[in-house]
């Protein structure tokens, strides 16, 4: 079994770090809801496993010049499992999504998936999934998915979202700065064949860049039997070129699809980020995430951990809370759990009502999307 220390070295039996983390379980504390100042119960944890990526998407990263985190600053699998277990067992978090950068570039990712797949929502939790395994998902660009998809599925991964913003090879290369479309398409097919409970496509739409492909992408999903989720272009691009005029709204996206393939609305999404519609001809569903024009902040149940162990309460948060230093403080057992929990509770106590995009007091995060985790 592969284990990792914070130093990034593979450990042998003489290393005390994995044992210390293993003895820091939180099962002796009854689950209770983690509720923010606006009454929203936290159920969804997004974990960034790396800031590295094999793409350089224009809406996410600069073409060159990224400074990657040193391996010693990235949380180990044991540290990630520890925080995840605490969130599930103490607070009833019932969904975990692994993100990056690009998560599949993290070595031995199925090892982490196997650790997280053992987590079960406590029976005393108020979560609808109480007594059941957590909902474990992955967001990936798909380019290297064929190399690990079967291992990920066997390890217990339940759902996969794959990013695909264009079906045109030349445009794909311009948008991602990589000629990888054929590998992404192969990854989508591999994911469909692997037997996940859900495979979805994420498509970021930017006016004047790929908005002429909205219907084409929707039809791609219809042909594959999977849902495409269209995402409004958000102000997280590394070069700071985002302007509101580049946003194609959810209403416009749905209208364009509906004009070709009639749609009807699916009942309310709850805390899920996407609104959904079904095709009237019965050939599946389509979704849209209106992060800019119709923010879903009022129902947000998500928190995030960056690859370097910073706890964030919003994708657009301007403050972070350091969990890594607590994990590496030398504390153990219940004392460590309580110290980590104190950071989490303090952070959630600051979760704001909404991100304030399009308002005069909006402040862009200092980190790019790849550094935060999607």
């Amino acid at each position: 079994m592969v284990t990792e220390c914070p130093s990034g070295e593979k450990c042998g039996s003489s290393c005390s770090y994995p044992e210390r983390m293993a003895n820091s379980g939180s099962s002796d504390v009854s689950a209770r809801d983690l509720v923010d100042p606006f009454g929203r119960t936290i159920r969804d944890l997004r974990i960034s496993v790396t800031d590295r990526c094999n793409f350089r998407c224009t809406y996410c990263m600069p073409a060159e010049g990224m400074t990657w985190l040193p391996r010693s600053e990235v949380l180990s699998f044991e540290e990630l499992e520890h925080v995840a277990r605490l969130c599930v067992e103490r607070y009833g978090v019932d969904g975990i999504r692994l993100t990056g950068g690009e998560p599949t570039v993290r070595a031995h990712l199925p090892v982490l998936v196997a650790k997280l797949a053992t987590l079960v929502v406590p029976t005393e939790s108020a979560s609808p999934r109480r007594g059941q395994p957590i909902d474990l998902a992955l967001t990936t660009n798909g380019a290297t998915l064929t190399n690990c998809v079967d291992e990920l599925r066997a390890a217990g991964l339940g759902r996969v979202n794959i990013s695909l913003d264009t079906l045109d090879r030349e445009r794909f290369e311009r948008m991602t700065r990589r000629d990888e479309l054929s590998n992404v398409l192969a990854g989508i097919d591999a994911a469909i064949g692997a037997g996940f409970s859900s495979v979805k496509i994420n498509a970021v739409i930017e006016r004047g860049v790929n908005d002429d492909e909205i219907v084409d992408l929707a039809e791609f999903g219809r042909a594959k039997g999977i849902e495409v989720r269209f995402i409004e272009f958000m102000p997280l691009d590394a070069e700071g070129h985002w302007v509101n005029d580049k946003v194609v709204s959810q209403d416009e996206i749905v209208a364009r699809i509906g004009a070709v393939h009639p749609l009807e609305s699916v009942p309310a999404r709850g805390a899920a980020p996407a609104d959904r519609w079904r095709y009237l001809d019965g050939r599946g569903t389509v979704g849209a995430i209106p992060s800019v024009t119709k923010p879903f902040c009022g129902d947000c149940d998500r928190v995030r951990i960056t690859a370097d162990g910073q706890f964030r309460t919003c994708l657009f948060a301007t403050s972070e809370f350091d969990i890594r230093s607590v994990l590496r403080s030398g504390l153990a057992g219940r004392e460590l759990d309580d110290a980590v929990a104190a950071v989490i509770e303090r952070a959630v106590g600051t979760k704001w009502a909404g991100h304030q995009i399009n308002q005069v007091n909006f402040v862009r995060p200092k980190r790019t999307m790849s550094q935060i985790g999607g």
Side-chain angles (χ1 to χ4, degrees):
M1 179 176 177
V2 177
T3 58
E4 297 182 313
C5 274
S7 65
E9 300 297 324
K10 294 185 176 71
C11 295
S13 59
S14 62
C15 178
S16 64
Y17 178 76
E19 180 180 0
R20 179 167 67 83
M21 298 302 289
N23 291 333
S24 297
S26 55
S27 59
D28 59 333
V29 177
S30 296
R32 58 187 176 84
D33 284 347
L34 185 60
V35 182
D36 74 14
F38 298 91
R40 298 167 295 195
T41 301
I42 303 303
R43 296 289 184 211
D44 188 329
L45 174 64
R46 307 293 172 101
I47 296 177
S48 173
V49 300
T50 180
D51 64 324
R52 297 172 185 263
C53 189
N54 44 7
F55 284 10
R56 296 293 183 272
C57 296
T58 55
Y59 56 78
C60 182
M61 302 172 71
E64 304 293 343
M66 289 291 291
T67 301
W68 308 118
L69 290 168
R71 181 63 188 86
S72 61
E73 294 184 11
V74 176
L75 292 190
S76 70
F77 288 168
E78 285 72 27
E79 290 170 322
L80 291 172
E81 179 194 14
H82 184 85
V83 177
R85 185 174 298 277
L86 183 70
C87 288
V88 172
E89 295 182 353
R90 185 172 290 203
Y91 299 119
V93 164
D94 59 19
I96 294 177
R97 178 173 294 276
L98 302 178
T99 70
E102 169 47 42
T104 62
V105 305
R106 177 78 184 258
H108 310 296
L109 183 63
V111 173
L112 175 62
V113 169
K115 291 175 181 291
L116 299 180
T118 66
L119 298 178
V120 175
V121 184
T123 55
E124 67 271 21
S125 168
S127 163
R129 293 184 67 91
R130 57 187 174 274
Q132 302 176 46
I134 62 166
D135 176 24
L136 184 57
L138 173 79
T139 296
T140 172
N141 63 32
T144 58
L145 194 54
T146 56
N147 299 333
C148 57
V149 67
D150 291 330
E151 289 182 89
L152 291 170
R153 183 70 188 101
L157 186 68
R159 299 188 294 117
V160 176
N161 286 12
I162 302 171
S163 298
L164 178 67
D165 303 322
T166 176
L167 296 166
D168 179 86
R169 179 179 174 181
E170 292 184 2
R171 180 177 288 177
F172 185 96
E173 186 170 0
R174 289 197 301 272
M175 293 184 71
T176 66
R177 302 184 178 106
R178 298 293 186 268
D179 184 11
E180 294 280 356
L181 178 59
S182 61
N183 288 330
V184 173
L185 296 176
I188 292 170
D189 287 338
I192 293 171
F196 292 106
S197 63
S198 170
V199 177
K200 295 179 181 177
I201 300 298
N202 288 345
V204 175
I205 301 300
E206 185 177 352
R207 191 176 303 282
V209 176
N210 64 338
D211 58 310
D212 59 332
E213 288 190 80
I214 290 172
V215 173
D216 292 339
L217 286 163
E219 290 178 341
F220 175 84
R222 281 166 56 85
K224 295 289 185 181
I226 56 180
E227 181 174 298
V228 177
R229 304 195 318 169
F230 294 92
I231 303 172
E232 293 180 349
F233 180 40
M234 295 180 287
L236 283 167
D237 56 311
E239 297 173 353
H241 293 162
W242 183 92
V243 291
N244 191 268
D245 289 347
K246 302 283 277 184
V247 176
V248 182
S249 72
Q250 172 185 277
D251 289 347
E252 183 176 347
I253 290 168
V254 172
R256 289 202 204 179
I257 298 170
V260 181
H261 302 288
L263 298 165
E264 64 177 358
S265 179
V266 173
R269 64 184 176 216
D275 290 317
R276 299 171 67 237
W277 290 260
R278 66 171 59 91
Y279 294 105
L280 292 184
D281 63 6
R283 293 185 58 188
T285 57
V286 66
I289 301 178
S291 305
V292 176
T293 63
K294 298 180 182 180
F296 43 89
C297 304
D299 297 317
C300 179
D301 65 348
R302 287 169 291 288
V303 291
R304 302 169 182 274
I305 300 174
T306 64
D308 57 346
Q310 303 304 303
F311 193 90
R312 299 175 63 92
T313 60
C314 177
L315 188 60
F316 296 93
T318 54
S319 60
E320 299 178 332
F321 297 78
D322 187 6
I323 285 182
R324 185 184 65 197
S325 64
V326 179
L327 291 169
R328 300 180 182 180
S329 64
L331 298 175
R334 177 67 179 273
E335 190 176 11
L336 175 59
D337 283 346
D338 289 347
V340 173
V343 176
I344 291 172
E345 292 181 16
R346 185 166 69 251
V348 171
T350 70
K351 188 171 171 68
W352 51 20
H355 54 54
Q356 301 178 322
I357 294 176
N358 288 327
Q359 298 182 34
V360 294
N361 53 344
F362 173 71
V363 178
R364 290 175 59 104
K366 294 180 180 179
R367 300 214 212 192
T368 65
M369 176 77 84
S370 64
Q371 295 167 324
I372 296 171

